[in-house]
Amino acid sequence: MKQNYIYSPALATGFKCKVPLKDACQLFIVNGKVQGGISPFVLDLKDGENLSETLQLISVRNEQHLGDLEYSEAFHFGKNSRGKVVMCSHTFSLDDFVTRENVNIILESGARAEFVVMQNEHNKAIHNAKFSIKMADHACLTLVFLSLHGGEINNTVTVDMNGEYSECNLGGLYLTDSTQLMNNTIDLNHFVPNCKSNQLFKGILDDNGITRFFGRINVAPGAQKTEAFQANHNLLISDKAKAYSKPQLEIYADDVKCSHGATVGRLNEMELFYMRTRGIPSAEARLLQQMAFAYEVLEKISNEELRERMQSLVEKRLRGEFSQCKNCSKNCC
Amino acid sequence: MLTIKDLHASIGDKEILRGINLSVNEGEVHAIMGPNGSGKSTLSAVLAGRESYTVTSGEVIYEGKNLLELTPEERSWAGIFLGFQYPIEIPGVSNVNFIKAAVNEHRKQKGLPALSAAEFLKLMRERMAYVEMDSSFSSRGVNVGFSGGEKKRNEIFQMAMLEPKLAILDETDSGLDVDALRIVATGVNKMRRPDNATIVITHYQRLLDYIVPDVIHILYKGKIIKTAGKELALEIEKKGYDWLINE
């Protein structure tokens, strides 16, 4: 399983990203098969290794493999290594897809990693993404989910903080319309003292969209000086959308700082009126409010170009347009 | 420019405006004064199109159009501006994006192209200077974390960007110290032209030292009980409203 990523220029042209990110290396996984490399995908960073380019993994499903598909990706960050990864998943045909993606991330002592996971599929696609994360001491992880489109998306994240002074930052933005279903299940385990975790999940729900957030923070006996925060906020745009939120704290240590908060609400009417008195039409004002709501999650993305691109995808999505990058014919990022 | 005839408005089943008559011409500054709860803010909200108020009877004609049929944004495009007594905070929407969206929408309605980034920046800098606003405000969320005075300056800055024909300033002086009051008033005066008009709603005479009105109206229990020249403000400052109410 020791295979570093390889950039393969010999890709089928149909899958080529026409507007790649600057300083990014792209790798395609088509129907679970790594293009130009060995499957399943493995990234193994040596101790002290610094990934100079952002690794962009573009997972695509198309009509060549219908029905169920399961594949995995493994990331091993050696001691004090650094890296940024963008994982995009797309469907290039409108068939019924069920995808099970298993992602394993291991951060050794002092490793720092940032993951942005963008899910942009279609209404008949079901995507179950399971993230298992293990963090050693002084490791630092940021993981941001952008669930833009999909019939059903289930993100299940388990984080085991096994070493002291590690820090885990989770973000999620989920947007639903029609009858889309999006669930985020987080299991965050503080097994040792002196670790920090932060979760921010936000949803904008239109039409008959349904979302669920189950977030559990477990502070094990003896995990003193833990700081664990969790927030889940949902904005309902229609009267029929439903957001379920279930925060759970299980704390077995007595010297910790922990908090959780969950809200389900509507757009603020006074803000709306204020904007309209300045001549901003109602629809545009609502969009500005939603973008402002979403931005708090997007802010977690440190790469400015990527953040701006994601922001524009979110804006297109909220406007009801196809979420695709400028100059690109595919619904890619 | 603006003619209000026998305007009645209520919130829920409570009638607040009980027959307002008012006429404002181009080039004029009108002040509306009155004790708390007399309906001053309701009048401004009704003119700006706030939906929680119901107009039960009467009419408002603005430049020959029935104002009450227009949405708040249509009123803005037609040149009406409301300066809020309590400006709203909009976290996450930056001041610059907010005002850019507003300015470009106004231009779109006039059939003009959106301003280029450079043109917009130039205009914004110039208008921020009207109210001595620091450029650091532009990147902050709309009114978020602004002091009372900064919020009011931001209102006048927005007014300067939108160049309204009729500005309604609802207690723009409340919560301002003397310096901020001078800055705000100077900003308003810079925008006075023979073809626009201002309605200033205030409790105190001191604002009217800076923004000198042509006419002063006293509103009480939803009706205008007296209309006179600017000297009326001084009389109220000395004697209060009681003598007018008892008249």
Side-chain angles (χ1 to χ4, degrees):
Chain A
M1 297 281 278
K2 296 270 177 190
Q3 173 213 337
N4 262 350
Y5 66 91
I6 314 151
Y7 173 61
S8 163
L11 292 169
T13 47
F15 296 137
K16 205 156 190 173
C17 174
K18 291 175 187 156
V19 281
L21 289 165
K22 251 186 282 166
D23 303 319
C25 161
Q26 291 187 333
L27 190 69
F28 286 78
I29 299 177
V30 179
N31 296 319
K33 298 270 178 287
V34 176
Q35 304 296 291
I38 301 162
S39 302
F41 174 81
V42 176
L43 172 70
D44 191 359
L45 291 187
K46 294 183 197 76
D47 291 355
E49 191 175 346
N50 192 347
L51 207 56
S52 58
E53 296 177 304
T54 297
L55 170 63
Q56 186 178 14
L57 287 180
I58 304 176
S59 299
V60 171
R61 290 208 59 180
N62 63 18
E63 69 286 343
Q64 286 163 17
H65 185 116
L66 299 176
D68 289 18
L69 176 71
E70 182 161 357
Y71 59 90
S72 67
E73 287 121 344
F75 301 87
H76 179 253
F77 287 76
K79 283 179 191 168
N80 300 312
S81 63
R82 307 238 178 303
K84 291 183 183 177
V85 181
V86 184
M87 301 171 78
C88 304
S89 47
H90 303 286
T91 44
F92 280 179
S93 70
L94 296 176
D95 298 294
D96 295 344
F97 292 120
V98 179
T99 308
R100 273 187 292 278
E101 185 184 5
N102 299 308
V103 183
N104 285 294
I105 302 173
I106 295 171
L107 269 67
E108 302 289 0
S109 174
R112 301 178 76 89
E114 180 178 321
F115 283 78
V116 176
V117 179
M118 202 273 279
Q119 297 160 321
N120 198 2
E121 302 187 355
H122 68 78
N123 278 348
K124 288 199 289 182
I126 299 174
H127 193 123
N128 299 323
K130 196 175 158 203
F131 281 73
S132 301
I133 299 161
K134 296 195 185 332
M135 298 176 67
D137 65 289
H138 296 89
C140 182
L141 172 76
T142 297
L143 169 59
V144 181
F145 290 91
L146 298 170
S147 307
L148 293 181
H149 248 300
E152 182 178 335
I153 294 177
N154 296 298
N155 293 322
T156 307
V157 183
T158 306
V159 182
D160 292 343
M161 303 184 85
N162 296 319
E164 289 191 42
Y165 301 101
S166 58
E167 196 175 324
C168 178
N169 203 348
L170 300 181
L173 177 68
Y174 43 92
L175 311 174
T176 60
D177 62 11
S178 63
T179 57
Q180 292 175 343
L181 180 64
M182 293 188 187
N183 301 326
N184 286 289
T185 307
I186 315 297
D187 222 334
L188 214 146
N189 295 307
H190 281 264
F191 288 135
V192 293
N194 296 309
C195 291
K196 289 181 186 172
S197 69
N198 206 331
Q199 302 176 42
L200 176 66
F201 283 79
K202 290 184 133 186
I204 303 176
L205 293 77
D206 204 346
D207 299 337
N208 294 290
I210 297 177
T211 67
R212 295 192 184 87
F213 175 79
F214 297 136
R216 179 173 160 271
I217 298 171
N218 171 33
V219 181
Q224 305 294 10
K225 307 284 181 194
T226 288
E227 288 184 22
F229 307 109
Q230 181 193 80
N232 174 229
H233 301 297
N234 298 282
L235 197 52
L236 303 184
I237 305 301
S238 88
D239 294 339
K240 291 176 194 142
K242 287 179 189 164
Y244 297 93
S245 187
K246 192 177 175 193
Q248 282 178 288
L249 288 182
E250 284 183 39
I251 303 174
Y252 300 104
D254 57 7
D255 185 12
V256 300
K257 266 192 217 166
C258 294
S259 74
H260 64 82
T263 60
V264 179
R266 295 155 51 123
L267 291 171
N268 181 309
E269 288 295 322
M270 270 317 283
E271 287 179 10
L272 197 59
F273 176 62
Y274 189 64
M275 290 196 258
R276 293 176 73 190
T277 64
R278 295 327 183 221
I280 301 172
S282 181
E284 201 62 29
R286 283 170 196 278
L287 183 77
L288 273 176
Q289 285 179 298
Q290 293 173 48
M291 286 305 294
F293 180 83
Y295 192 69
E296 211 188 341
V297 176
L298 295 170
E299 233 175 6
K300 288 179 181 280
I301 302 171
S302 67
N303 178 332
E304 197 181 332
E305 192 198 358
L306 180 62
R307 184 172 65 239
E308 279 169 10
R309 195 177 283 202
M310 291 300 169
Q311 197 175 353
S312 106
L313 289 175
V314 168
E315 183 175 334
K316 283 178 190 164
R317 170 72 171 101
L318 293 172
R319 280 187 192 278
E321 296 165 10
F322 254 129
S323 303
Q324 64 189 37
C325 297
K326 245 186 188 166
N327 306 323
C328 183
S329 58
K330 300 283 185 193
N331 303 346
C332 251
C333 99
Chain B
M1 178 185 272
L2 180 79
T3 311
I4 303 174
K5 285 184 197 152
D6 195 31
L7 182 68
H8 289 252
S10 46
I11 188 160
D13 51 11
K14 194 177 171 206
E15 188 174 47
I16 297 175
L17 300 183
R18 304 159 193 245
I20 302 268
N21 290 289
L22 181 69
S23 183
V24 178
N25 299 311
E26 286 181 354
E28 291 179 348
V29 174
H30 288 237
I32 297 178
M33 301 180 75
N36 288 329
S38 56
K40 302 188 297 294
S41 290
T42 300
L43 177 61
S44 65
V46 167
L47 292 178
R50 179 117 182 251
E51 279 151 1
S52 45
Y53 294 94
T54 316
V55 173
T56 48
S57 66
E59 61 175 10
V60 180
I61 304 298
Y62 170 74
E63 302 220 298
K65 277 176 284 197
N66 179 359
L67 186 73
L68 301 174
E69 278 179 356
L70 304 180
T71 62
E73 52 269 43
E74 287 168 339
R75 295 178 200 207
S76 173
W77 303 333
I80 288 184
F81 178 88
L82 171 63
F84 281 58
Q85 182 181 1
Y86 303 108
I88 308 300
E89 295 184 6
I90 314 177
V93 177
S94 73
N95 231 7
V96 57
N97 284 346
F98 173 67
I99 198 66
K100 196 190 279 174
V103 166
N104 283 334
E105 195 60 45
H106 276 251
R107 291 179 65 85
K108 190 168 137 192
Q109 295 299 326
K110 291 190 184 98
L112 297 168
L115 287 176
S116 73
E119 289 168 327
F120 176 78
L121 211 63
K122 187 169 169 273
L123 181 70
M124 193 172 78
R125 287 218 181 100
E126 179 193 308
R127 300 297 151 91
M128 280 178 109
Y130 278 21
V131 286
E132 299 177 25
M133 230 165 113
D134 190 88
S135 62
S136 67
F137 283 98
S138 56
S139 58
R140 287 164 61 180
V142 177
N143 293 322
V144 178
F146 287 28
S147 72
E150 287 163 351
K151 282 181 182 171
K152 295 300 172 72
R153 279 199 258 174
N154 198 20
E155 293 292 285
I156 305 305
F157 159 67
Q158 291 171 25
M159 175 179 160
M161 291 295 283
L162 298 174
E163 300 178 335
K165 284 184 201 148
L166 175 64
I168 304 156
L169 304 177
D170 187 8
E171 300 207 19
T172 295
D173 53 337
S174 69
L176 294 187
D177 60 33
V178 181
D179 291 330
L181 184 70
R182 181 186 47 77
I183 291 167
V184 162
T186 309
V188 173
N189 287 332
K190 269 203 179 117
M191 287 176 258
R192 280 184 77 167
R193 288 199 316 256
D195 62 343
N196 63 20
T198 312
I199 298 174
V200 181
I201 292 171
T202 183
H203 264 296
Y204 302 106
Q205 180 265 333
R206 60 171 199 170
L207 176 66
L208 305 180
D209 286 344
Y210 296 97
I211 305 173
V212 182
D214 299 297
V215 193
I216 294 179
H217 308 275
I218 306 302
L219 193 63
Y220 179 67
K221 287 193 173 170
K223 275 187 175 170
I224 289 174
I225 56 167
K226 189 169 180 73
T227 295
K230 62 185 174 202
E231 60 291 342
L232 181 62
L234 286 167
E235 225 172 325
I236 287 163
E237 193 75 2
K238 276 187 212 137
K239 300 198 279 188
Y241 292 110
D242 286 354
W243 63 281
L244 280 170
I245 293 163
N246 297 333
E247 233 175 38

